[in-house]
Amino acid sequence: MKTLTIKLTAPLQAYGNEASFERRTSWPAPSKSAVVGMIAAALGMRREDERIKSLNDLAYAVRVDQIGKTMTEFQTVEWKPGTRKLTYRDHYQDAVYVAAVGSEDEELIGKIEYALKHPRFQLYLGRRACPPAGVLRIESFADTDPVNVLKNMPWQAEKWYQNKHKRKAEFMAEIIADANLLPDATFTRTVKDRVESFDPQDRCFGFRLTAKERINLKNPCYEQKSQDVMDYL
């Protein structure tokens, strides 16, 4: 299997789950459907393109490297003439994630890598108001799956965030993946996160099983306080 990693960072990110019209919440990490949508946009697929469904077969995992703060905005929406409503939308501020997709079809991964570097359509992190913070940082790895790549990749948080935790030698990061990639996980959850259609007139999602695991990442900014005050004298 060949795996591609994508560092996702921006001032705001939002990965909406099912919600009412008035309140739209966000998953605490990028959903597979959001990453599939971004890949489809990079490849030049329109929302009605049936080929998007085949991207559900990509192996998927994501690691939370920098925990963002929740921000809620409100908008006034006129959903029919003379009728207005306040809607509330949640976003995550200053979060950093590393998403990983894998496939036995190495040619497909190569096409995805090229497309993400030369996208046909605008890329965004969840919602249209959340563009990436610059050019995406992408790496490819041969003969390994997304979970193993994320377990061995150095901590990708911003330097200020690493410094914030400099008294700790390690940072505990969470990996959320397709359940078959974490067969020994003790926590699994079914989420409505499989793309059936992005058509604005018929948006539809199916279910997939996910699993979670926590790992420790070395903090490069770790400072042992004066050799722990010279081993407490």
Side-chain angles (χ1 to χ4, degrees):
M1 178 178 287
K2 187 174 183 180
T3 293
L4 202 67
T5 61
I6 314 161
K7 184 178 178 180
L8 303 175
T9 177
L12 294 175
Q13 300 183 55
Y15 302 99
N17 51 18
E18 280 199 308
S20 66
F21 177 79
E22 294 181 7
R23 183 62 187 260
R24 298 184 181 181
T25 55
S26 173
W27 297 112
S31 59
K32 184 175 183 177
S33 58
V35 174
V36 164
M38 183 173 67
I39 291 171
L43 290 167
M45 298 179 184
R46 296 190 177 275
R47 292 177 178 272
E48 302 82 4
D49 197 319
E50 287 293 318
R51 293 176 297 170
I52 293 175
K53 292 182 183 179
S54 66
L55 298 176
N56 287 312
D57 296 332
L58 291 167
Y60 179 72
V62 62
R63 194 178 77 189
V64 183
D65 279 33
Q66 185 169 313
I67 301 170
K69 293 183 179 180
T70 305
M71 183 200 80
T72 302
E73 65 162 348
F74 70 90
Q75 299 179 11
T76 302
V77 178
E78 186 169 347
W79 61 287
K80 65 180 181 179
T83 303
R84 298 178 181 177
K85 279 190 175 182
L86 279 178
T87 64
Y88 299 85
R89 292 172 169 83
D90 290 345
H91 300 75
Y92 280 94
Q93 303 178 79
D94 299 323
V96 176
Y97 308 102
V98 182
V101 294
S103 175
E104 298 293 348
D105 186 346
E106 294 191 6
E107 184 179 352
L108 172 61
I109 295 297
K111 287 180 178 178
I112 292 172
E113 181 176 9
Y114 180 85
L116 288 171
K117 293 177 179 178
H118 308 83
R120 294 285 301 279
F121 298 131
Q122 173 65 48
L123 306 182
Y124 49 89
L125 307 188
R127 295 195 182 119
R128 294 179 188 175
C130 305
V135 177
L136 294 175
R137 289 177 54 183
I138 299 168
E139 295 184 64
S140 61
F141 303 84
D143 303 320
T144 187
D145 65 77
V147 167
N148 281 321
V149 168
L150 295 180
K151 284 183 176 181
N152 292 287
M153 177 175 278
W155 193 20
Q156 300 293 304
E158 301 297 335
K159 189 64 69 178
W160 67 265
Y161 190 84
Q162 293 178 353
N163 268 314
K164 184 179 176 181
H165 296 80
K166 65 183 179 181
R167 296 304 182 196
K168 295 182 179 180
E170 295 181 320
F171 174 80
M172 183 177 289
E174 188 173 70
I175 293 177
I176 306 167
D178 294 332
N180 64 301
L181 297 178
L182 287 171
D184 299 323
T186 56
F187 179 86
T188 59
R189 181 184 181 188
T190 301
V191 296
K192 202 168 186 180
D193 188 28
R194 180 179 175 85
V195 181
E196 299 296 338
S197 173
F198 280 134
D199 187 335
Q201 304 302 317
D202 185 31
R203 289 176 65 88
C204 185
F205 299 88
F207 291 96
R208 73 182 180 97
L209 187 63
T210 65
K212 290 184 180 181
E213 183 176 311
R214 290 177 176 171
I215 61 170
N216 290 319
L217 303 174
K218 183 179 179 181
N219 185 359
C221 294
Y222 172 59
E223 293 181 1
Q224 192 173 14
K225 192 173 181 180
S226 300
Q227 195 181 336
D228 290 334
V229 189
M230 298 190 65
D231 296 328
Y232 199 63
L233 306 178

